[in-house]
Amino acid sequence: MTNERVTTGIKGLDEMLNGGFLPNSMVLVRGAPGAGKTSLALQFLLHGATKHDEPGLLISFEEFPSSLHRDAESLGWNLGDLEASGKLHLMFTSPAVLLASIESPDSRLNQLIQDANIRRLVLDSISHFDCLTSDEHDLRHIYTSVVNGLRREGITAMLLGEEGRADYQRTSKGGISFIVDAIIMLRYVEIDSAMQRAIVVLKMRGSDHAKEIRRYEIGSGGLTIKNAFAGREGLLSGASYRTLP
Ligand SMILES: Nc1ncnc2c1ncn2[C@@H]1O[C@H](COP(=O)(O)OP(=O)(O)O)[C@@H](O)[C@H]1O
Ligand SMILES: [Mg+2]
């Protein structure tokens, strides 16, 4: 049981993850706005809820449930049915309230996680904690509290991280990359004057994972992972160039 992987339901991604996440992993999903972080996270929750009987909770600081319903609908998913059956819970709150909830054992959040037997959780997005402090140390402390609080619940969590298109090289703010167990990065890359989407697993503690960068598309049904980029360098910088054969 403990070695069983937590699958995302996204075929190529589960392959890249050597079968899926290790249970109770804290996973950072980094990417620019529009990269597909929320879509990927919803797919992860829906897969758990429908295929593994694992109830999910999405905590959003930016999107009201109504807006999430609409986004999900454009991907072909009906969140209402899952909510009605108790397999999916959507919570709209603020970073300050969430932080206080995580730190207090009898908060509404902790009650919900217990009562609804939440197994998968998504936090959209951790970048919003930036507004609580301008001090790097404080931010690191906040991230550590959040991650440790979620770890204690025994769930598998996806933390979404907003970044600018040129932020890929910068060490993430507050050292979140060092605290999490796995990192998935979504990028826009320019190939021959057209934008394509690229996905890569940057880190997975306690497990091997694919090092390749693969294409993906977003459409009805969510993310579809395509082939690896071959004969290209500089993909993660956003501007790729062909390598000589
Ligand atoms: N049905 C669809 N067909 C094609 N693309 C879609 C569809 N629904 C959403 N998208 C694309 O998905 C992206 C939105 O992804 P989202 O998960 O909201 O990104 P993020 O959370 O990283 O900002 C947008 O770029 C949008 O163009
Ligand atoms: Mg989003």
Side-chain angles (χ1 to χ4, degrees), residues 120-209:
R120 298 179 179 216
L121 185 144
V122 170
L123 192 49
D124 192 359
S125 75
I126 55 151
S127 310
H128 287 75
F129 288 115
D130 292 10
C131 72
L132 295 181
T133 176
S134 53
D135 182 88
E136 282 276 326
H137 271 94
D138 288 349
L139 190 58
R140 185 166 187 136
H141 182 77
I142 291 172
Y143 285 153
T144 308
S145 292
V146 170
V147 168
N148 288 345
L150 295 177
R151 246 189 244 288
R152 270 197 301 276
E153 302 289 347
I155 55 183
T156 303
M158 256 187 201
L159 315 173
L160 312 189
E162 292 288 346
E163 54 190 36
R165 295 201 179 191
D167 278 356
Y168 78 103
Q169 261 178 337
R170 217 187 48 175
T171 315
S172 62
K173 258 180 151 179
I176 183 73
S177 302
F178 301 105
I179 307 171
V180 295
D181 304 303
I183 303 176
I184 294 172
M185 185 159 79
L186 304 178
R187 300 248 348 129
Y188 292 100
V189 296
E190 187 187 332
I191 306 262
D192 302 333
S193 305
M195 289 311 255
Q196 295 200 12
R197 298 177 186 275
I199 183 167
V200 61
V201 177
L202 288 183
K203 156 177 171 176
M204 207 165 140
R205 207 175 264 164
S207 169
D208 196 14
H209 63 84

Side-chain angles (χ1 to χ4, degrees), residues 40-54:
L40 187 156
L42 278 170
Q43 209 163 345
F44 165 74
L45 292 179
L46 264 61
H47 179 71
T50 59
K51 304 287 186 218
H52 297 281
D53 201 19
E54 295 179 348

Side-chain angles (χ1 to χ4, degrees), residues 32-39 60 62-63 68 71 124-125 160 162:
K37 300 179 296 298
T38 305
S39 307
S60 182
E62 59 186 66
E63 280 194 84
L68 280 165
D71 289 359
D124 192 359
S125 75
L160 312 189
E162 292 288 346

